[in-house]
Amino acid sequence: EYADRLIDDLEEVDFIDKQYQEIADMTNAGKSQQAIGDTLGIPQRTVSYRLNHIRTRYPYLLKGREDTDTQSE
């Protein structure tokens, strides 16, 4: 049971890491937060939260973009 929960937790972390990368890639491509959320099926607010997390923990993913607060296209 513990091993199953650990595997589930690791799969969830992997999914979130992939989603962070997708958010960073779309931001680098000039997509708005709303467009990113629509594409990934998550609220714009979640995109905003994750972008803030990316900025503080993984800034290298954003390739020097300073205008990542864009809310519209």
Side-chain angles (χ1 to χ4, degrees):
E1 184 173 299
Y2 174 75
D4 290 338
R5 281 190 318 194
L6 185 58
I7 289 170
D8 289 344
D9 288 348
L10 289 173
E11 287 173 353
E12 184 175 337
V13 167
D14 187 45
F15 172 77
I16 291 171
D17 284 348
K18 286 179 183 174
Q19 195 169 77
Y20 276 27
Q21 183 65 58
E22 289 178 309
I23 290 170
D25 289 346
M26 287 188 249
T27 298
N28 290 331
K31 298 277 187 184
S32 69
Q33 290 181 13
Q34 186 62 53
I36 293 168
D38 291 346
T39 299
L40 297 177
I42 58 176
Q44 178 272 325
R45 186 171 178 178
T46 301
V47 175
S48 178
Y49 172 83
R50 292 187 178 160
L51 269 173
N52 284 331
H53 192 246
I54 290 168
R55 282 187 204 102
T56 58
R57 302 285 295 252
Y58 312 108
Y60 56 87
L61 294 176
L62 294 175
K63 299 182 182 174
R65 286 183 56 95
E66 304 220 356
D67 60 343
T68 55
D69 286 328
T70 304
Q71 303 257 339
S72 61
E73 291 184 329

